[in-house]
Structure formats: structure tokens, C-alpha cells
Amino acid sequence: MYQVPQITDSIYYVGVNDRMKALFENMWSLPNGVAYNSYLIVDEQTTLIDTVDICYSDIFMHKLELVLQGRPIDYLIINHMEPDHGGSIGLLRQRYPEMKIVGNKKTFDMLSGFHGITEGLHEVKNGDALRIGRHEFSFLMAPMVHWPEVMFTYEQTNKILFTADAFGSFGALDGYLFDSQLPDRTAYFREMQRYYATVIGKYGGFVQKALASIDKQGLDIDFVCPAHGVVWGREGYEEARAIYDRLAQFASTPGVVILYGSMYGNTEQLADVIAQSLSASGVQHIVCHNVTKSDPSEILCDIFRYQGLIIGCPTYCGELFSPIQNLLQLIRIRDVKNRLYSVFGSYTWAPGAVKRLVPFADEMKWELIGESVEMKMSDLPSVLDAGWALGQAMAERLKA
Ligand SMILES: Cc1cc2nc3c(=O)[nH]c(=O)nc-3n(C[C@H](O)[C@H](O)[C@H](O)COP(=O)(O)O)c2cc1C
Ligand SMILES: [Fe+2]
Ligand SMILES: [Fe+2]
């Protein structure tokens, strides 16, 4: 007989997999799909934590009914209002009109704006508690761990922390639910980091605050239940947490991303010279991204990962090649910190790309490394040494 997956005897996983959507937030690729997690706690009062994307509301409602066996939902705790989690709130309220909705002041502003719901609310503040029988919840505000209203919910009896987007990942759950069941941890952690770089990236300072407030409250944690991806056990949580600690501080590993645009391959030739120079000086991690072919989420993930970033760009109508311009904007709004940065470019009649790339160092408060190189047409021979020197300068700085 079909069984709804369980975390404990009374806490059910009622989330869904989405392998249909091509782009998360209509921007980020989903080669392995994504899961929208929701958790149902059955006690004297039944309580649901978060909902799912509206596209999956049918299957979601079925799962709820299977567990509830005709009982109503007494409480819906909303950790995050973004529509990938809040999408089914309106429908749920219609189906369970007596259901009290638990959130903070900012949650309720969004609840009214997205769903027109202004009644049947139970407002909570940081540290408040809610008992539903043998389970008791407490609430930790985690503002800007993606959106301003985000909060974490801690269930004291089973020592479970529900963390909204934090510790979440792209990737549907292929039958498994717990991190201990993951078929390929390395690949999963890469997807978790890609999720972080694209969705949470900018808010490292807020993530650090949220992590500190978990510690400050001295929460004993057996499971972490995020709103996407696997449920973490104790050891898995420690691993995921260590990655989060680093990402939130914009910590990086020695390595270089060479990000370039190229219409006819000239700029690309120079990118290769720089890559060879880096390799010759012992840099082990070098990732070349052609901006128009690489997936932007993979580019951002690698930029979050490596300390060096070298950007190359042809001059285009007196400006930067637009796909590079666009990538600069994606980096800018994430406020990526502490990178070592170099630039190169190309032109035919009036150079322009390099002088537009250089000020990005000041803007981002990054260290500009080496002499910039700008190649005229296909004259690679005249910039070979300069390109090589740029690679050497970056490699030396990475070693320092
Ligand atoms: C649509 C377009 C616009 C361009 N605009 C300029 C320009 O404003 N100034 C300039 O010096 N070269 C301009 N170029 C020339 C390129 O910058 C130059 O040929 C460069 O070598 C191209 O590098 P790539 O082969 O990597 O694409 C333009 C080329 C194209 C195709
Ligand atoms: Fe979110
Ligand atoms: Fe989310």
C-alpha cells in the first residue's frame, strides 16, 4: 500500500517533485528538477509547514488527504511566502476555511498582497512558541534568508529545524528523502551551491546572522528540513552548515574563472593563452566559461567558488558585448566580495571593452591584478606575452 514518506511517526513529508519546469524563477536551469517541500505534523492539532507551487496543488492536496483521513488542518505555518512555497495557500484556505495561518507581520502583509487573506491569522515574533499536543514549535526570524518575512520553525520534541530556503538545493528527490540516501553527494553539494549562488547569493550577511541565531538559541538538532531538496540528518547538517558558513562569508578556494564573450573567436584565443599561463604556473582549478554558451547559474556558482575572476570581452558598438554586460549585472546585484580580478578584451577600430571592465574592480572593491590586455583584430602574436604575463600575475597573487 502506498505510504506517504515520514520523518518521524507523526511528521510526514508531503512535498512534490517538479521535473517539468525548465527554469526556476524563469532564469535558472533545472537539469535535475526541483522539489517543493512541505511537512505535515499530526497531533491533537494538525499542522502544515509551508505549501507547494500552485502547479502541483492537486497532487499536494491528495497527499494531505491521505494523511489527514478526514481531519482538518488546524494550523499552517508559513516560513516563506515566495510562490514556490506559498503558491497553494489560497486554495488550501478554501479547502480548510478554519485553518489558522501562522506567520509574522511581514508574512501577513504578503499574505494579503498575494492571496487577499487577512483573517484567521496567528501572529508570532522571534522566540514565540506554539504547542499542538506533544509537539511544540518555536520561531526564529531569519529575515532576508531570501525574503524579508523568512522565518525558521523549530520543533522541540523531535529536534527538527524547518529552514525555508536555507540548506535547500535544486534537484528533485528521486525516491529518497534523507541526505544519507543520496546517490552522489558531490553532485548534490554542487547543486546546493548553485542554488545558493543564484537564489540566496547576495544575502551572505543575513545568512550569517541566521546561523548565529541558531547557535545562540543552543538548538539541539536531529534533522533539518529545508523547503527544497533532502532532509539533513545530524552529520549531513554539519556538512551542509560548513558549506553555508563559507558561502555566507564569500570564502573561496584558490582557482580561477575565466569568463569571456566572443563573437568570432578572437577574444577566446586570448582566454586560452591566459588559461595556459595559469596552468603553467600551477593553478589547478581553472574554469573557462563562454558567456553565451555556459549556463549563467553555473557561471555564478563557479564565481562564488573560486578566488580569481578574469573577464574578457570584445568591444561591441563602443560598449561591452551585451551578454558580458548582463553577467556583470548578475554579479553586481549579488555583491560578491573579496575576489581577485583581471581583465582583457578586443576591438577593431576603437578600443572600448577593457576601459569599461576595469572600473568594475573599484565598484566591487576587488583587487585588480596584472596589466590589462586588449587585442586588435586577430593580432594574437602581439599580445601573447601580455596575455601570458596576466596569467602569471594572477597565479602569483593566488599563491601569496
Ligand atoms: C556587432 C559588432 C559591433 C562591434 N563594435 C565595435 C566597436 O564599437 N569598436 C571596435 O573597435 N570594434 C567593434 N567591433 C569589432 C570587434 O570588437 C572585434 O572584431 C573583435 O576582434 C571581436 O572579437 P571576437 O572575435 O572575440 O568576437 C564590433 C564587432 C561586431 C560584430
Ligand atoms: Fe525563496
Ligand atoms: Fe524556495
Side-chain angles (χ1 to χ4, degrees), residues 243-275:
I243 293 173
Y244 255 63
D245 272 325
R246 287 178 56 78
L247 286 167
Q249 295 173 59
F250 296 90
S252 54
T253 22
V256 179
V257 175
I258 301 179
L259 168 65
Y260 65 91
S262 191
M263 295 172 281
Y264 292 101
N266 294 295
T267 316
E268 183 171 66
Q269 293 303 310
L270 195 45
D272 267 336
V273 169
I274 296 166

Side-chain angles (χ1 to χ4, degrees), residues 97-141:
E98 303 300 321
M99 174 184 81
K100 277 249 178 331
I101 301 183
V102 182
N104 57 67
K105 227 185 177 61
K106 289 180 239 164
T107 320
F108 294 153
D109 183 46
M110 295 183 188
L111 196 58
S112 156
F114 281 112
H115 299 285
I117 296 175
T118 54
E119 281 169 18
L121 311 180
H122 177 89
E123 189 182 321
V124 293
K125 296 193 180 67
N126 196 49
D128 283 358
L130 174 69
R131 182 169 277 285
I132 58 162
R134 62 189 182 91
H135 295 90
E136 184 171 0
F137 302 106
S138 62
F139 305 97
L140 275 88
M141 299 303 128

Side-chain angles (χ1 to χ4, degrees), residues 262-267 314-318 346-351 377:
S262 191
M263 295 172 281
Y264 292 101
N266 294 295
T267 316
T315 306
Y316 181 86
C317 301
S346 64
Y347 70 103
T348 289
W349 63 92
M377 294 177 253

Side-chain angles (χ1 to χ4, degrees), residues 25-268:
E25 294 178 350
N26 231 343
M27 271 187 110
W28 316 116
S29 64
L30 290 171
N32 314 304
V34 63
Y36 312 120
N37 297 348
S38 169
Y39 304 92
L40 181 60
I41 298 102
V42 178
D43 203 331
E44 284 165 31
Q45 282 153 317
T46 60
T47 302
L48 182 67
I49 300 186
D50 290 320
T51 76
V52 303
D53 191 292
I54 188 73
C55 300
Y56 286 83
S57 54
D58 262 3
I59 178 68
F60 177 55
M61 298 287 180
H62 272 301
K63 288 188 188 193
L64 291 175
E65 280 161 17
L66 268 174
V67 179
L68 289 165
Q69 301 281 328
R71 291 182 64 184
I73 297 175
D74 297 303
Y75 288 106
L76 166 64
I77 296 172
I78 301 178
N79 281 338
H80 187 14
M81 276 297 298
E82 190 175 1
D84 54 334
H85 310 293
S88 300
I89 296 173
L91 259 165
L92 211 58
R93 194 21 124 45
Q94 282 173 29
R95 180 93 44 115
Y96 302 100
E98 303 300 321
M99 174 184 81
K100 277 249 178 331
I101 301 183
V102 182
N104 57 67
K105 227 185 177 61
K106 289 180 239 164
T107 320
F108 294 153
D109 183 46
M110 295 183 188
L111 196 58
S112 156
F114 281 112
H115 299 285
I117 296 175
T118 54
E119 281 169 18
L121 311 180
H122 177 89
E123 189 182 321
V124 293
K125 296 193 180 67
N126 196 49
D128 283 358
L130 174 69
R131 182 169 277 285
I132 58 162
R134 62 189 182 91
H135 295 90
E136 184 171 0
F137 302 106
S138 62
F139 305 97
L140 275 88
M141 299 303 128
M144 298 321 295
V145 181
H146 198 206
W147 279 19
E149 85 297 0
V150 170
M151 61 184 201
F152 297 167
T153 298
Y154 181 64
E155 199 291 299
Q156 297 175 8
T157 312
N158 294 286
K159 302 176 181 166
I160 303 181
L161 185 64
F162 298 88
T163 56
D165 283 337
F167 310 111
S169 176
F170 293 128
L173 300 175
D174 294 345
Y176 48 76
L177 176 59
F178 297 96
D179 78 280
S180 56
Q181 301 167 294
L182 280 171
D184 182 346
R185 285 184 97 72
T186 310
Y188 188 83
F189 281 127
R190 167 83 189 178
E191 280 294 84
M192 188 181 95
Q193 289 170 56
R194 189 170 69 93
Y195 181 86
Y196 185 95
T198 50
V199 176
I200 302 186
K202 179 186 176 82
Y203 304 112
F206 289 99
V207 171
Q208 289 181 55
K209 275 188 197 153
L211 297 179
S213 84
I214 295 175
D215 295 342
K216 197 173 144 203
Q217 303 219 3
L219 300 183
D220 191 16
I221 295 173
D222 279 344
F223 293 104
V224 166
C225 294
H228 302 282
V230 290
V231 168
W232 303 100
R234 245 176 206 274
E235 285 145 35
Y237 165 57
E238 269 170 36
E239 270 182 275
R241 164 83 196 235
I243 293 173
Y244 255 63
D245 272 325
R246 287 178 56 78
L247 286 167
Q249 295 173 59
F250 296 90
S252 54
T253 22
V256 179
V257 175
I258 301 179
L259 168 65
Y260 65 91
S262 191
M263 295 172 281
Y264 292 101
N266 294 295
T267 316
E268 183 171 66

